[in-house]
Amino acid sequence: MNPQGERWTAEQVLALAPDAASRTAVSKLAVTGKWSGAGALGRAVWGLCAGSGSKPYQTVVDLNGPGYRCSCPSRKFPCKHALSLLLRWASGEGGVPASEEPPEWAEQWLDGRRERAAKLAAAARDGGPGRGGETREDAEREGSAGAADPEAARRRAERRAQRIAAGATELERRLADLLRDGLAAADRAGYGAWDETAARMIDAQAPGLETRVRELAAIPSSGPGWPARLLEECALTHLLNQGFLHLERLPEKLAATTRTRVGLTTPVAELLAAEEAIRDRWLVLGRQDGTDGRLTTRRIWLRGERTHRMALLLSFSAPGQSPELALPTGLVLDADLTYYPAARPLRAAIGTRHGEAPQDPSPVPPPAPAPPPVPASASEGCDAPPAPEGCDVDTALAAYGAALGEDPWLDGWPVVLADVVPVPGDGGWQLADERSGSALPVDPRCAGRTDLWQLMAISGGGPVTVFGECGHRGFSPITAWDPTPVPLIGAAA
């Protein structure tokens, strides 16, 4: 990376890897002599990598996205060749030199990608079909496909709303039966009855209600105090059911939140055409991937440099594949974001991108495996950027409380804590704020994560800046700064 911050860091590149095995393979491949014909121009990087066959793999990356194409047969996305090419590019012009123009095979793919992006942008402006963002939700694809026939789309939406209402009514009966028989019966019933109810919610096309049912099923085995937690979750589920069954009585924004919580989504093209876009320089604060066995969900949190607003981007893929949206932590993105309607807007979709302005820290390799060395000249003159501005514990709790007042089903609210000290203890971890004398407990669900000790090592007993979600269970750390961003989503001990 040069002093102007035109290239990403090795750590940012490795953060895009779909799994640990890919990170290991990428680091090894980047330092071999298998690469030839590599070049970079503007937002494009390309190269040829020798494989097991007679022809080298053609690899090209569009940094706007980013997007990847490789002629290798790998099903991983991005593949090791695309990532190792980016890793060489991140090390400076010694790895991937600047070029006047890409080869024909790379130019064809880049041109096609630009044409598709232009068509999607035009469709979004006109309110017609098109993704307009990076998500791949089935519901949004269905909504976009039907946008050309508004009447047919309206009838489908009505039928789905009727099915969800029937599912909510059935779930209300299930909750009433549970309370009539007593909460102790839930401990003896096991998962069977809940699985049947969850299947009914799937049939009703209400994935949000299905998720809540499965959470209810897991509570009786969650340890001491489970009856109180079960009663709390039953109350929230009852509130959601009643909210959806009486949507016409709710304020517009709360009704939008309720629809989202049961699983109804707004097609991205419709969102971008109807809602106001907000342009800012958005700092990528953190990223987290999760899977429920059927779908991999990627969550990326951003914060606006001018507006100071938090935003959450979601991207989806089939299990075993990496979601499309791959913004490395620490990247600054100059773009338009459009928020989904809600009582407390957080989730957003990306519209027009005005260019990416990556921060310019000196590359700091992750603990293992080590990336290829960066020439000393590449880091000269690059001062590490300061950690993002954060708040104290009391302000974080106030922010979560304000958000919870508008969305009662909210599990957590993204905040950046500044000058907190991680403290382990027999009763669990805490983040202590020496300025106010307050301490915020770490979410007990994070207790077995090895990266809490990594956070302790980063801190060294002193104050540190941490990004995460503040919720009723405590704080879930996602990123720390040392001084560059360090992801804290790790494996269980």
Side-chain angles (χ1 to χ4, degrees):
M1 177 183 295
N2 65 21
Q4 287 71 40
E6 293 177 353
R7 301 197 181 217
W8 297 351
T9 67
E11 188 173 50
Q12 288 174 333
V13 172
L14 290 173
L16 303 176
D19 50 44
S22 295
R23 285 191 290 273
T24 302
V26 166
S27 297
K28 292 180 179 178
L29 185 60
V31 297
T32 64
K34 294 186 175 182
W35 284 97
S36 63
L41 176 65
R43 309 299 295 170
V45 185
W46 61 86
L48 300 173
C49 185
S52 56
S54 58
K55 295 183 178 180
Y57 298 130
Q58 298 176 339
T59 307
V60 57
V61 178
D62 181 358
L63 298 175
N64 292 317
Y68 319 90
R69 181 194 176 279
C70 184
S71 58
C72 74
S74 174
R75 293 186 177 182
K76 292 185 178 182
F77 185 83
C79 69
K80 64 180 181 180
H81 306 102
L83 289 174
S84 62
L85 176 63
L86 280 176
L87 203 55
R88 293 176 65 86
W89 169 76
S91 69
E93 292 201 5
V96 176
S99 179
E100 294 184 357
E101 61 179 357
E104 182 179 357
W105 55 268
E107 185 65 34
Q108 288 178 350
W109 180 79
L110 292 167
D111 286 344
R113 184 172 168 84
R114 295 187 195 103
E115 291 175 3
R116 288 191 297 272
K119 290 179 181 178
L120 290 172
R125 288 193 300 269
D126 298 337
R131 284 186 297 144
E134 251 62 34
T135 61
R136 290 189 285 186
E137 295 173 275
D138 292 339
E140 293 183 357
R141 287 204 305 261
E142 178 182 339
S144 295
D149 188 347
E151 180 60 26
R154 184 189 62 80
R155 291 196 298 268
R156 283 197 300 271
E158 288 181 352
R159 289 196 296 270
R160 185 178 181 189
Q162 292 171 357
R163 285 193 289 267
I164 294 176
T169 301
E170 181 174 350
L171 183 52
E172 284 289 273
R173 290 195 295 267
R174 177 73 175 87
L175 295 177
D177 292 342
L178 173 65
L179 296 178
R180 185 185 63 249
D181 297 339
L183 294 180
D187 190 24
R188 299 190 298 269
Y191 284 91
W194 290 112
D195 281 343
E196 181 180 352
T197 304
R200 298 287 184 87
M201 297 305 104
I202 295 176
D203 293 340
Q205 292 183 290
L209 295 182
E210 181 220 349
T211 298
R212 300 201 76 87
V213 168
R214 296 198 182 280
E215 290 175 351
L216 289 171
I219 291 176
S221 59
S222 63
W226 68 264
R229 292 192 293 274
L230 181 59
L231 185 60
E232 292 171 359
E233 292 302 321
C234 284
L236 287 172
T237 303
H238 168 68
L239 182 65
L240 182 57
N241 290 335
Q242 290 299 314
F244 188 80
L245 293 172
H246 302 91
L247 276 175
E248 69 281 355
R249 303 181 187 177
L250 300 181
E252 180 182 354
K253 291 185 177 180
L254 183 56
T257 298
T258 303
R259 283 191 289 266
T260 299
R261 291 299 181 184
V262 300
L264 288 172
T265 58
T266 302
V268 174
E270 180 181 324
L271 175 74
L272 297 179
E275 302 295 331
E276 179 184 3
I278 299 175
R279 180 176 178 179
D280 206 337
R281 285 166 50 87
W282 302 91
L283 170 64
V284 180
L285 292 171
R287 187 180 83 177
Q288 185 178 41
D289 289 354
T291 181
D292 60 3
R294 295 170 300 168
L295 197 67
T296 296
T297 303
R298 172 166 293 165
R299 306 167 74 200
I300 298 178
W301 292 268
L302 312 175
R303 186 172 71 178
E305 184 179 277
R306 175 180 56 83
T307 61
H308 299 287
R309 293 187 64 174
M310 291 288 187
L312 172 65
L313 305 179
L314 296 181
S315 185
F316 303 87
S317 70
Q321 298 181 7
S322 180
E324 265 184 41
L325 190 56
L327 301 176
T329 301
L331 191 72
V332 177
L333 182 71
D334 184 1
D336 295 338
L337 291 191
T338 302
Y339 284 89
Y340 285 79
R344 176 57 70 102
L346 179 62
R347 186 186 172 190
I350 295 182
T352 302
R353 300 190 185 197
H354 305 282
E356 294 172 1
Q359 297 198 34
D360 54 352
S362 301
V364 178
V374 179
S377 59
S379 60
E380 290 176 358
C382 294
D383 296 326
E389 179 183 354
C391 64
D392 59 22
V393 167
D394 294 338
T395 303
L397 290 172
Y400 168 63
L404 185 64
E406 296 180 311
D407 182 356
W409 305 284
L410 189 68
D411 278 335
W413 186 257
V415 295
V416 178
L417 291 175
D419 298 328
V420 291
V421 180
V423 180
D426 294 337
W429 286 75
Q430 292 185 330
L431 296 176
D433 188 342
E434 295 180 341
R435 297 166 297 176
S436 64
S438 303
L440 187 60
V442 172
D443 189 329
R445 295 174 298 179
C446 302
R449 283 173 28 186
T450 57
D451 49 51
L452 290 178
W453 292 105
Q454 182 186 13
L455 176 60
M456 184 73 171
I458 292 172
S459 166
V464 66
T465 297
V466 186
F467 164 74
E469 286 191 308
C470 182
H472 66 279
R473 298 182 182 91
F475 186 82
S476 300
I478 296 172
T479 308
W481 277 261
D482 182 35
T484 54
V486 180
L488 292 176
I489 302 299

